[in-house]
Amino acid sequence: MMRRRDLLKAAALLPWTRQAEAAAAAVGPMKITKIDAVRFRPDLRMQGVSPNWTWVRLHTDTGLIGLGESYPNHNANLGALKELAPMVLGRDPTRIERLWQDLFYRISYQPWGGAETRMLTAINIAQWDILGKASGLPLYKLLGGKAQEKLLVYNTMNGWTINGMREHDYPEKITEFLLGRGIKAIKLYPYDRGPVNAFARHGGTFITQAELKQSLDPIQRIRKAVGDEMEIALDLSSKWNLPCSLQIARSLEPYGITYLEDPMLPDNLDAYASLARETSIPICISERLATRFRFREMLEARAVDVVMYDVTWCGGISEAKKISDMADTYKIPTSPHTGGGPILWLASIHTATSLTNFYIMESVYHLYNDLYPHFLRNVPAPVDGYVTAPEAPGLGIEVRDEPFRNGDAVVETIAAL
Amino acid sequence: MMTRREFLGRAALGAGLLPAAMRAAIDNTQPMKITRIDAVTFRKDLHVGGGSGGSDGAEFCWVRLHTDSGLIGTGETYPFHQGEVGALRDYAPTILGRDPRDIDGIWRAFFHRMAMRNTGGADMRILSAVNMAQLDILGQASGLPLYRLLGGKTRQRVRVYNTTTDYWAINGTKMGPDTMKIVRFLLDRGMTAMKIYPFSAPDHYLSNKALETGMSWIREIRDKTGNEMDICVDLWGRFDLPSATRIAKALEPYNIMYLEDAMLMSNPQAYARLAAETSVPICMSETLATRYEYREFFEGKACDVIMYDLSWCGGVSEAKKISDMADAYFIPTSPHTCGGPLLYICSTHLCTALSNFLIMESNYWKYTHQFPHFVSNAPVPENGYVRPPDLPGIGAGIKPELFRNGDAIVETVAKS
């Protein structure tokens, strides 16, 4: 008879779904006995930013507790969790596929998506955390092991700052700061933030030639300061129509752009296919899409070059892995969205470590440096522009006790056996 | 100079187009502001009684928009209150202080906010309810029934079928043992169409035995009443493509009105394969929302009839847009109405106006037992047809006693 350790070792050689099954078989049956929502005081501010996520805690009769997350910290999410809880309580958390399918079919009686899908996602992440802890393996090993030793990251600016600096005011200084830390890629928002903000002027329906040129300012300044040392990605926040997207893409073509993300809402992939045909800039979409079903359409439409998803929105870790594996058959790589909470950051690191078709991952200096450490003891920070998955079982996080003692964390038991 | 009444009369009659009729109503009303938003839920132990009924209470909730004009609009959605009311709290700042007549503007702001994190779910349902309440206000302000704002009377009355399930049963009867009792009951009342659920399987593959059991219901109806009864078959999105195809093929000789929701709505191409494979009209689906999602099915040649639930799909204005788009493909509409009373009444208004209408859902238990507990004007089919109330707005006649006897629980979500 194989010992548990041997079984797990043997399992590490299997494809990822079979590995998860083998781990589940090795840990034996268990039951979800209690479901908590953990939120944080709404008035809590860390350098002006509030922790805008909800944690879902699954307790089991083994004593193991799994942690999942989604965001924002919405009333709808909490309400949806209350509605889904009776379908989760008493179930075996290691039956990850079965529970996902049951919940998804249930929420598919109505147009699915929104709050219910976000909570399905958080539950899925907590299940993986439990499976990892029960089997003694870090999550990335359950997902197929190290396809990547370390993950290349870019820094997203958006509304966040670095030492008080915003992207449009100090592009050279921010570039210098990031390069000094070995981070050689950045994502910018010149079209709906900063002094030009063409979106605010026309609501995404039009962009003038002058605005097209002025919006290039931070890009030109970075190129002028450091040449091609810095990779530059751009996010358009899905605010534009097709002709504006096309004009913006064409104006960016001389600047060696890593990718152009979310120019339009992703609900017409033929429009994306038209855009992709007309421009040489790689197109990336979208954390706004959830489940393999939506990404399948995107891939078949030949509409984009890079897949982005948010592991805490798209259906969870299971779904993220399926989406990436499907994208791989199109030679399309993955660039996960991580601008949310700390579990999103960790779950994305584990998932991306296991991907053969990884591209580059989002990171936000302000979040991993200023915000997450208030909640976790061991936040992975990029070293020389790369981040590495932790080796502890499950998500591998150590949650700080302080927020649970000082009233920052608000725990609400949603359901219990 | 035209009087206001003449102007409205002309606008509603002259314009077959939605924007013109609605625009005229907006232009002839005074600016107003949403000053308060209420969530109305119903007590959990509410027992409506009267025959068998699924929840026996209210699975729906209402949204009330109060305005500084004194007008109050009511919208509705279902079935997960806690998520929906939570979403209402989250989105209240998008609505409060706005002019409720800004139908498309508020819709767009709402939709773009939710689109950040994948649309749908509780967020989409509450948008639908808010949209319904806005149109209720616009109707009241302009003095016009909802169907007038949606294009006027394209038909005098709306044909309905009866959705027949065990939990919303007709006097406790069950399909299978009581099939012919049910069919005769409906035919005797002039109801000549029904929707049934003959097929079920533990997983997504249907065995030959389960296929035969389901087919026996349909054969019995055809053998005993010929083509008197039109039959719709609903599969609740539970099957895989091969099972869906086998069911469709087996149904072909029986003149089925449509086969609804054979698979999950997550793949228009799979539906296109099914539609190409069978002569049975394919209908889908109240599980879709917004014109953006339906467009793919039209372009993919994936359906013959569309169904939506206007308290889920983005609201009354979105439902109208979806139907108008479908009309360009000669695809008719068959709305889902097995929710609350406002859904049923609003659907009757909309079906009165649609140019591409097929048949509307109705449910005996709901309009006989459930709806009358909450509203006075839920239409009861006469000879298989319903008519919308000729009152301003939705004209549901919400019962005031609900708010006095403790059945309704009103929570003010936001206030200016």
Side-chain angles (χ1 to χ4, degrees), chain A residues 76 83 101 108 115-116 288 297, chain B residues 82 90 115 125 204 287 296:
Chain A
E83 302 284 4
Q101 167 108 337
S108 294
E116 288 92 4
R288 291 152 197 266
E297 291 173 22
Chain B
Q82 301 183 86
D90 299 329
R125 296 198 301 277
H204 307 307
T287 67
E296 294 178 51

Side-chain angles (χ1 to χ4, degrees), chain A residues 72 74-76 82-83 101 105 108-111 113-116 267-268 270 288 293-294 296-297 313, chain B residues 80-82 86 90 115-123 125 204 238 266-267 269 287 293 295-296 299 312:
Chain A
H74 261 179
N75 295 299
K82 287 177 189 164
E83 302 284 4
Q101 167 108 337
Y105 269 78
S108 294
Y109 276 114
Q110 291 82 37
E116 288 92 4
D267 45 30
N268 190 326
D270 295 331
R288 291 152 197 266
F293 304 113
R294 291 271 154 83
R296 176 197 58 74
E297 291 173 22
W313 287 342
Chain B
F80 292 132
H81 303 167
Q82 301 183 86
D90 299 329
M116 177 69 203
R117 303 169 285 272
N118 87 74
T119 64
D123 314 54
R125 296 198 301 277
H204 307 307
R238 281 305 180 261
S266 304
N267 191 323
Q269 288 89 340
T287 67
E293 289 185 10
R295 178 197 56 77
E296 294 178 51
E299 287 187 4
W312 291 345

Side-chain angles (χ1 to χ4, degrees), chain A residues 227-241:
Chain A
D228 288 334
E229 279 301 288
M230 187 57 99
E231 305 292 326
I232 302 174
L234 292 156
D235 192 344
L236 298 189
S237 311
S238 296
K239 288 180 186 299
W240 300 89
N241 58 25

Side-chain angles (χ1 to χ4, degrees), chain A residues 196 201 209-218:
Chain A
V196 185
R201 296 186 197 183
Q209 292 308 304
E211 286 156 2
L212 274 173
K213 288 198 178 105
Q214 289 155 11
S215 300
L216 296 171
D217 178 68

Side-chain angles (χ1 to χ4, degrees), chain B residues 306-339:
Chain B
I306 52 160
M307 176 165 296
Y308 46 65
D309 183 308
L310 55 79
S311 63
W312 291 345
C313 74
V316 182
S317 65
E318 196 62 17
K320 179 74 162 78
K321 288 178 188 187
I322 293 163
S323 278
D324 287 345
M325 184 159 53
D327 194 23
Y329 294 82
F330 301 107
I331 289 174
T333 310
S334 179
H336 184 259
T337 72
C338 272

Side-chain angles (χ1 to χ4, degrees), chain B residues 32-246:
Chain B
M32 59 180 112
K33 259 191 209 168
I34 298 168
T35 51
R36 196 175 109 194
I37 304 167
D38 293 337
V40 180
T41 53
F42 298 90
R43 67 183 166 87
K44 280 205 166 55
D45 53 343
L46 182 62
H47 180 78
V48 173
S52 58
S55 65
D56 223 12
E59 71 274 45
F60 50 87
C61 65
W62 289 342
V63 171
R64 282 204 308 205
L65 302 181
H66 299 252
T67 62
D68 56 0
S69 67
L71 293 176
I72 301 171
T74 311
E76 180 182 273
T77 191
Y78 64 111
F80 292 132
H81 303 167
Q82 301 183 86
E84 288 147 13
V85 174
L88 187 62
R89 280 192 205 103
D90 299 329
Y91 288 95
T94 313
I95 312 163
L96 205 65
R98 292 208 53 170
D99 190 325
R101 302 172 308 158
D102 293 343
I103 311 281
D104 278 352
I106 289 176
W107 196 95
R108 190 184 134 96
F110 220 120
F111 182 71
H112 276 254
R113 270 195 66 195
M114 84 169 75
M116 177 69 203
R117 303 169 285 272
N118 87 74
T119 64
D123 314 54
M124 182 61 70
R125 296 198 301 277
I126 212 68
L127 163 56
S128 306
V130 167
N131 181 270
M132 188 192 287
Q134 286 178 259
L135 281 162
D136 189 25
I137 292 171
L138 184 60
Q140 292 176 50
S142 60
L144 294 174
L146 194 51
Y147 71 84
R148 286 271 164 235
L149 299 182
L150 298 169
K153 273 199 181 167
T154 301
R155 57 193 56 75
Q156 294 298 322
R157 50 184 198 162
V158 171
R159 190 183 176 205
V160 294
Y161 63 82
N162 189 75
T163 283
T164 310
T165 65
D166 290 352
Y167 51 89
W168 290 322
I170 297 170
N171 306 326
T173 50
K174 280 186 194 312
M175 284 296 291
D178 307 316
T179 301
M180 288 320 296
K181 225 169 160 180
I182 295 168
V183 170
R184 299 238 184 266
F185 179 90
L186 293 172
L187 287 176
D188 286 350
R189 300 165 72 89
M191 183 78 73
T192 55
M194 67 193 299
K195 182 159 86 183
I196 55 176
Y197 301 78
F199 303 102
S200 64
D203 224 321
H204 307 307
Y205 185 80
L206 187 75
S207 70
N208 282 329
K209 202 175 159 212
L211 180 62
E212 279 310 302
T213 305
M215 289 308 298
S216 70
W217 294 10
I218 289 150
R219 283 195 204 101
E220 189 180 5
I221 299 170
R222 284 284 173 262
D223 285 351
K224 299 201 173 136
T225 59
N227 282 308
E228 286 296 292
M229 182 62 85
D230 282 322
I231 305 171
C232 304
V233 173
D234 191 350
L235 300 183
W236 266 336
R238 281 305 180 261
F239 294 99
D240 52 25
L241 180 56
S243 297
T245 309
R246 282 164 56 235

